[in-house]
Amino acid sequence: MRKIGFSLFFLFCTTVMVFGQQDASTAGPKGISEAVKKRINKSKDRLVLEFCMMNAFIKKDGGVTVPNDFSLENFNRGFNAYFYYDLILGKKTKFQHFSLAPGIGVGSENYYFKKFGMSWIGDTATRFYAFGDSISSKKSKLNMTYIDIPFEFRYRSKPHKKTGMAIKVSVGFKFGFLVGSKWKYEGEELNNSGNNIKFKQLGVANMNKLRYGPYIRAGYGLFNLFCYYSLSNTFVNNKGPRMNPIVFGLSINGL
């Protein structure tokens, strides 16, 4: 997923650079060509790349039968890539700055908890447990990959005459379907042998197959800030901790 993210980011930057080089000969004294301004003006924000930081609201007991005791590290990160279809509400009317945008894309989230491990037995329960001082770990993380379906209401201001860029605000709601999960561990072997190991367990049990929640994105031109809150629990109720992620970060959009 990380490779896909960097590839899309590289493609986006390359496209912007090519546009700039193609129009360099027509650039005016302000340094921005009219052709580039027109491209920016016509931008529908079809491709949105989100570089994420995450945390979560955690209720550790997760239900009477599932004791959990864990905490997340500060630097949890992820990446989303979405394609939208922009539907302007009314061209050449007072609604021309407003639009609706359904979309589809993929999201990947990584939650780190270096001092804790995970265990599950079938579909009974999934729990976190502390390693204690006897185990030295380098990495312990939970990764989830989703196919997301977002839908948003957008506002764009009139483009600036000099830069061609506009103020953008989007308010939306998205549904996500879990398509992959894994626990990845790197450190001392868990049986206290003292050996260093690396492993990953695919298909973490008792994870909620559906996520959903509201989000907001706002900014100027290509760069926006966003925030999403998951109303759904990451795990099935009473089969894991109560964990509601909050995701925020920087988005690049403008094609």
Side-chain angles (χ1 to χ4, degrees):
M1 188 65 207
R2 185 183 299 177
K3 292 181 179 179
I4 295 174
F6 283 124
S7 297
L8 288 170
F9 178 68
F10 176 77
L11 176 62
F12 182 88
C13 293
T14 302
T15 303
V16 173
M17 290 175 64
V18 169
F19 283 164
Q21 290 175 357
Q22 286 178 343
D23 300 308
S25 60
T26 61
K30 300 295 184 179
I32 301 177
S33 73
E34 290 301 320
V36 170
K37 289 180 187 178
K38 289 180 179 179
R39 285 194 178 98
I40 295 175
N41 281 338
K42 293 180 179 179
S43 168
K44 302 296 185 182
D45 292 344
R46 296 181 183 92
L47 174 63
V48 176
L49 308 179
E50 297 180 345
F51 298 87
C52 311
M53 294 285 292
M54 289 97 63
N55 213 311
F57 294 102
I58 299 172
K59 185 178 180 181
K60 296 181 180 180
D61 58 11
V64 177
T65 60
V66 188
N68 279 277
D69 184 13
F70 79 106
S71 58
L72 297 173
E73 296 179 36
N74 294 325
F75 191 47
N76 304 290
R77 51 200 180 271
F79 177 79
N80 302 324
Y82 298 130
F83 292 92
Y84 289 92
Y85 185 77
D86 192 69
L87 300 167
I88 298 175
L89 295 183
K91 294 182 179 180
K92 298 182 180 181
T93 70
K94 61 182 179 180
F95 298 108
Q96 63 182 312
H97 298 297
F98 297 91
S99 64
L100 298 175
I104 190 169
V106 62
S108 178
E109 298 182 355
N110 297 286
Y111 293 92
Y112 295 82
F113 36 90
K114 189 167 74 170
K115 297 181 180 180
F116 301 87
M118 297 182 67
S119 67
W120 56 89
I121 300 175
D123 294 331
T124 304
T126 297
R127 61 180 294 268
F128 291 76
Y129 58 91
F131 290 142
D133 297 332
S134 61
I135 299 293
S136 176
S137 65
K138 295 181 179 179
K139 178 188 294 184
S140 183
K141 77 169 183 178
L142 172 64
N143 169 264
M144 295 96 76
T145 302
Y146 295 90
I147 296 297
D148 287 328
I149 301 177
F151 185 86
E152 62 187 43
F153 176 73
R154 294 175 167 181
Y155 165 77
R156 294 186 190 88
S157 68
K158 185 177 180 180
H160 193 278
K161 292 182 179 180
K162 293 183 178 180
T163 65
M165 296 184 182
I167 296 173
K168 302 175 183 179
V169 180
S170 299
V171 178
F173 198 94
K174 70 178 179 181
F175 294 89
F177 302 92
L178 184 70
V179 294
S181 63
K182 62 185 176 183
W183 172 41
K184 188 174 182 179
Y185 173 78
E186 180 179 350
E188 287 187 351
E189 199 165 7
L190 303 182
N191 62 6
N192 293 309
S193 68
N195 298 323
N196 289 324
I197 60 170
K198 293 182 182 180
F199 70 83
K200 58 184 175 182
Q201 288 184 265
L202 303 178
V204 178
N206 306 304
M207 300 206 69
N208 203 333
K209 301 300 182 183
L210 176 68
R211 72 169 178 177
Y212 52 87
Y215 65 89
I216 184 170
R217 186 173 63 250
Y220 180 71
L222 300 176
F223 299 98
N224 287 227
L225 299 177
F226 73 92
C227 184
Y228 161 78
Y229 176 66
S230 178
L231 297 175
S232 57
N233 185 13
T234 299
F235 294 89
V236 175
N237 290 341
N238 298 322
K239 292 189 176 184
R242 184 75 190 182
M243 180 175 169
N244 296 86
I246 181 168
V247 184
F248 53 92
L250 174 70
S251 73
I252 300 176
N253 46 290
L255 295 179

